[in-house]
Amino acid sequence: MEVKRDILWRVYLCFLGIVALSLVVLGKVVYIQRVQGAYWKGLSDSLHQKFVELDAERGTIYSEDSSMLSTSIPYFNIYIDFGADGLREKNGKRFFENVDSLAGCLAALFEDQSKAAYKKMLQKGYRSVDRYYELQSNVSFQKYQKLRDFPLVRQGRNKSGFIAEVNNKRLNPFGLLANRTIGLARANAQNVGLERTYDTLLKGETGRRLVRYIAGGAYIPVEGYEIEAENGKDIVTTIDVNIQDIAENALQKELIENEAEHGTCIIMEVATGKIKAIANLGRQSDGTYWEDLNYAIRATEPGSTFKLATLLSLLEDKKITLNNTVNLEGGTWKISNRTVYDAERHGKYVVPVKEAFELSSNVGMAKLAVANYTGNPYQFIDHLRKLKLDRPTGIDLVGESTPVINTPKSRTWSATALPWMAFGYEVLVSPLQTLTLYNAVANNGRMVKPYLISAVQESGITIKENKPTAIVEKICSDETLRELKECLNGVCQDPEGTGFKVFKDAFYQVAGKTGTALVANRSRGYADHIYQSTFVGYFPAAAPKYTCIVVIKNKPFAKKYYGAAVAAPVFREVADHLMSTSVGQGLNYADSATTVNHDQLFASVTPPQLPANRQLVPDVKGMGLKDALYVLERMDMKVAVRGSGKVQTQSIEPGRPLQKKETIFIQLD
């Protein structure tokens, strides 16, 4: 009995222990559910949910005429939550009633598989209760709009399970056009161009969305937990798409013909400093050209175009007059064991200063600088500083080079530094800086800051507008300015001028300067005979509207490398196009008939049909100026224009046998 009692006691004790343990566990469960439930649920959510950033829609970059230069295009990734309550209620009645018609619509929209294949795919996803099934990716906005009206989808996300995630892709509608200046907005690399400079405005404010992770590492958005992104601002540039197209084509044609390494062409509006076009083309490994670097803002030795600054200094300091003479020594001059060479062997000796400038004589400028500034080189250098050649222009582009102006305190200063600086060596300035100086001369001495952005907009409303800004109100006296203009006119209009052959038959007047600089090829120095060809000037000379610079770096040992032979023709082609357009708009820049000779007026528009018989003079009466020019020039005729509007009369009757290079006068009204 004692043994039995002992066993029962132990059984009861175990039973009571189990009951007590059960009560503790039950109590703990109740405590966790009732008291700590919110805490543990929050902890679970933190492990399976998180906030992700929502990118704002990036602002658009426009040209001055409101053409889109860079914009964000929305693309959609479409998913289906087959576990959505609204989709599975009543044993999936809603799904099965719509799956057949939905499959047909999807097959018709995406055209990548049949209706039967889509139906099978949807049914498989429904059976597997896939919570994040990828239906399509990179769906265009137009297709997404149609998708939203499809059976089942139009019932909304909760009832259909359809989830659309938007991704914005950056698009440059004009492709190559000003590509480097407009820039690139890149997810995994630093932006460039205007996309970088104005990134904070363009990108907007990032939003947030709560998402829940599900099996397979995928996640789905949690409804009602989203902070919308604030879209970026739009910026309006000063770029004119048509002028940019003209500059790009003219530059590319010359680069291809000369197999040059790279080149830039910048066009500035004289009165305002607005950059109307900025083309930068570099040769690629396959021989094609692309906007790879912004050569317009990279400092190099400018060569002879720098002589304008030298001449300004000499005239402003009353060191010389244009009628003073200088001995060019036949084109060579030795100084301190170095020899100054003129680019062209002209064989001239004593000539007026004006002629020395028109001949682009390195010897002439070097001798004048040595004779007048050797005792006080800072007097010359101070002029360069006043012309802001020692600092970047401040244009709204990241990456503008810092210029270099040699001084007696520089480590590289030597006895020959001053004469070499006088003709554009031992200094580094960018093409944009050179353009800004010449633009100041064209603008009656007022140096304006070059700029690319005219306005910032939000929802089509201008919230900030940029105005022309003067860097220097007056770069020199009126007398000096008159003399500088006289010399620049002479370069292009006097038979002795280096630009005369290029512009002698232009129907408008150009003032400018050629430049040819020997440039170093990295560690090889000057052994490869690489030349940089430049032409910079303004037109029409009497009432300047545009200033333009063309800089081309040629290949080693190029047969053609003078600025007048390589860069000036690009300038001429650009100016011809712009002046022809101005004539067509009724702007009278010449007293006589205008002679036009160019062949790329239709780079951006569809040209008219050429006549079937090209041996006879065509009938252009009733045509607009551009159409008439296109037809006549394709027939190898020279064209003189009077008036504006449409062609009313032509000097050579239609149907007469055609004579090549014959000039035809057309009257517009």
Side-chain angles (χ1 to χ4, degrees):
M1 291 294 293
E2 291 296 330
V3 174
K4 183 178 180 182
R5 188 180 298 113
D6 186 54
I7 292 172
L8 288 173
W9 179 81
R10 292 182 182 183
V11 171
Y12 294 150
L13 185 62
C14 290
F15 176 74
L16 290 173
I18 292 171
V19 171
L21 181 61
S22 299
L23 291 173
V24 170
V25 171
L26 183 62
K28 189 66 174 177
V29 169
V30 173
Y31 179 76
I32 290 173
Q33 286 184 331
R34 299 296 182 182
V35 179
Q36 294 185 315
Y39 167 77
W40 289 110
K41 184 178 180 181
L43 182 61
S44 174
D45 287 345
S46 70
L47 295 174
H48 295 87
Q49 297 180 355
K50 75 168 185 177
F51 278 98
V52 296
E53 290 188 345
L54 296 176
D55 290 335
E57 182 177 333
R58 194 170 179 84
T60 296
I61 301 177
Y62 292 98
S63 68
E64 194 165 47
D65 64 351
S66 299
S67 298
M68 287 185 181
L69 299 178
S70 183
T71 190
S72 294
I73 303 296
Y75 286 87
F76 300 84
N77 296 332
I78 309 299
Y79 301 90
I80 305 176
D81 177 9
F82 285 107
D85 293 340
L87 192 64
R88 305 193 74 86
E89 65 182 9
K90 297 182 180 179
N91 295 320
K93 179 182 178 182
R94 180 176 288 107
F95 173 78
F96 290 111
E97 286 179 347
N98 290 278
V99 66
D100 187 71
S101 54
L102 175 61
C105 291
L106 293 174
L109 179 63
F110 297 116
E111 299 180 335
D112 56 348
Q113 51 185 324
S114 65
K115 173 182 176 181
Y118 265 110
K119 184 174 182 179
K120 182 179 180 181
M121 180 182 70
L122 293 170
Q123 290 173 335
K124 181 180 178 181
Y126 182 84
R127 287 194 301 270
S128 63
V129 198
D130 195 323
R131 301 302 303 270
Y132 206 61
Y133 185 86
E134 183 176 346
L135 180 68
Q136 287 284 346
S137 61
N138 291 324
V139 176
S140 68
F141 180 73
Q142 291 78 8
K143 288 187 176 181
Y144 173 66
Q145 289 287 80
K146 294 178 180 178
L147 176 67
R148 291 176 60 182
D149 291 329
F150 283 0
L152 188 62
V153 183
R154 58 173 169 255
Q155 297 186 37
R157 175 175 164 178
N158 291 333
K159 294 181 179 180
S160 68
F162 271 74
I163 302 169
E165 291 186 356
V166 61
N167 293 307
N168 289 309
K169 293 185 179 180
R170 205 64 175 166
L171 178 69
N172 293 63
F174 288 93
L176 177 67
L177 212 66
N179 187 264
R180 192 71 188 183
T181 299
I182 297 165
L184 307 169
R186 302 176 289 192
N188 301 314
Q190 192 175 54
N191 295 347
V192 298
L194 294 175
E195 292 278 12
R196 180 178 176 185
T197 305
Y198 291 93
D199 183 60
T200 53
L201 285 174
L202 289 165
K203 72 179 181 181
E205 295 291 334
T206 304
R208 299 177 71 201
R209 173 190 287 166
L210 184 65
V211 296
R212 176 164 54 87
Y213 284 88
I214 58 176
Y219 63 86
I220 59 175
V222 177
E223 195 73 28
Y225 291 88
E226 183 174 312
I227 301 173
E228 290 189 3
E230 182 179 328
N231 292 339
K233 310 291 191 298
D234 299 328
I235 60 176
V236 181
T237 72
T238 61
I239 297 291
D240 183 302
V241 172
N242 291 324
I243 298 178
Q244 178 70 36
D245 193 40
I246 291 167
E248 204 96 51
N249 279 284
L251 178 64
Q252 186 174 37
K253 186 172 74 173
E254 183 62 38
L255 291 174
I256 292 172
E257 181 181 324
N258 221 35
E259 296 180 347
E261 290 189 15
H262 59 72
T264 184
C265 177
I266 319 170
I267 302 170
M268 180 189 291
E269 193 173 73
V270 170
T272 64
K274 289 182 178 181
I275 301 298
K276 308 306 294 180
I278 179 168
N280 296 281
L281 295 174
R283 186 178 175 89
Q284 307 303 299
S285 57
D286 61 356
T288 60
Y289 288 89
W290 189 253
E291 288 246 357
D292 53 357
L293 293 172
N294 209 327
Y295 302 105
I297 57 175
R298 301 180 76 184
T300 62
E301 288 182 313
S304 294
T305 55
F306 199 77
K307 291 171 185 171
L308 181 69
T310 303
L311 184 61
L312 181 150
S313 304
L314 291 163
L315 292 171
E316 192 72 354
D317 289 337
K318 307 296 182 182
K319 302 284 189 183
I320 61 168
T321 69
L322 295 184
N323 293 323
N324 288 154
T325 59
V326 58
N327 190 343
L328 305 186
E329 309 283 353
T332 61
W333 179 53
K334 288 187 177 181
I335 177 173
S336 299
N337 298 319
R338 294 182 70 182
T339 303
V340 179
Y341 294 98
D342 281 349
E344 297 187 36
R345 303 296 182 262
H346 47 69
K348 291 182 179 273
Y349 287 85
V350 179
V351 300
V353 169
K354 180 175 181 289
E355 185 176 342
F357 184 85
E358 293 172 358
L359 288 169
S360 197
S361 173
N362 296 338
V363 172
M365 289 297 112
K367 292 183 77 172
L368 289 171
V370 169
N372 293 285
Y373 292 117
T374 296
N376 185 11
Y378 277 107
Q379 187 178 10
F380 172 58
I381 292 166
D382 284 345
H383 279 291
L384 305 183
R385 290 170 173 168
K386 289 176 183 177
L387 295 173
K388 308 303 179 184
L389 292 171
D390 63 332
R391 65 188 67 180
T393 65
I395 192 172
D396 26 19
L397 284 173
V398 175
E400 184 179 11
S401 296
T402 301
V404 176
I405 300 295
N406 220 347
T407 74
K409 294 182 180 180
S410 304
R411 289 182 301 172
T412 56
W413 185 266
S414 67
T416 58
L418 180 61
W420 258 256
M421 287 174 66
F423 56 88
Y425 287 84
E426 302 211 21
V427 294
L428 298 175
V429 296
S430 70
L432 182 61
Q433 284 180 287
T434 302
L435 180 69
T436 303
L437 171 60
Y438 279 74
N439 192 78
V441 174
N443 198 26
N444 293 319
R446 188 171 191 257
M447 181 179 285
V448 289
K449 179 181 177 180
Y451 67 102
L452 275 162
I453 299 301
S454 59
V456 178
Q457 296 182 340
E458 185 174 13
S459 302
I461 300 172
T462 299
I463 59 175
K464 181 183 178 182
E465 188 171 5
N466 291 334
K467 298 291 186 181
T469 304
I471 305 173
V472 181
E473 282 295 343
K474 196 77 169 178
I475 62 170
C476 61
S477 67
D478 289 337
E479 182 182 357
T480 298
L481 189 65
R482 178 186 58 77
E483 292 175 314
L484 293 177
K485 289 182 176 181
E486 185 180 341
C487 289
L488 293 173
N489 285 346
V491 169
C492 302
Q493 297 166 29
D494 291 350
E496 295 288 348
T498 53
F500 177 73
K501 291 181 180 179
V502 180
F503 298 103
K504 64 180 180 180
D505 62 343
F507 67 92
Y508 53 93
Q509 290 188 336
V510 172
K513 183 72 184 72
T514 59
T516 308
L518 183 65
V519 296
N521 187 11
R522 301 182 180 90
S523 61
R524 291 183 55 82
Y526 298 97
D528 290 338
H529 294 273
I530 298 176
Y531 287 90
Q532 179 173 279
S533 310
T534 305
F535 187 88
V536 56
Y538 50 85
F539 59 92
K545 184 175 182 181
Y546 297 113
T547 308
C548 175
I549 187 170
V550 179
V551 181
I552 294 175
K553 183 180 179 182
N554 297 289
K555 67 179 181 179
F557 302 102
K559 294 181 179 179
K560 185 175 70 170
Y561 56 83
Y562 288 122
V566 177
V570 178
F571 184 105
R572 170 70 191 267
E573 184 169 334
V574 169
D576 277 355
H577 280 70
L578 295 181
M579 291 302 297
S580 296
T581 304
S582 297
V583 171
Q585 294 171 347
L587 301 179
N588 184 17
Y589 288 125
D591 294 329
S592 59
T594 58
T595 304
V596 186
N597 184 15
H598 55 84
D599 59 5
Q600 284 192 325
L601 204 58
F602 288 87
S604 299
V605 295
T606 303
Q609 187 74 29
L610 294 174
N613 189 342
R614 304 201 185 181
Q615 305 302 316
L616 303 177
V617 174
D619 186 355
V620 296
K621 292 191 291 293
M623 291 186 181
L625 176 63
K626 289 185 178 181
D627 287 354
L629 288 175
Y630 181 85
V631 171
L632 294 170
E633 289 182 358
R634 285 299 187 277
M635 305 288 282
D636 206 15
M637 301 184 75
K638 290 188 175 182
V639 187
V641 181
R642 287 192 180 93
S644 62
K646 294 187 180 296
V647 178
Q648 298 300 313
T649 61
Q650 59 185 80
S651 61
I652 304 175
E653 285 301 314
R656 201 204 73 178
L658 184 67
Q659 297 179 22
K660 300 295 183 183
K661 303 297 183 182
E662 188 174 14
T663 298
I664 182 171
F665 291 84
I666 57 175
Q667 178 69 49
L668 282 68
D669 194 7

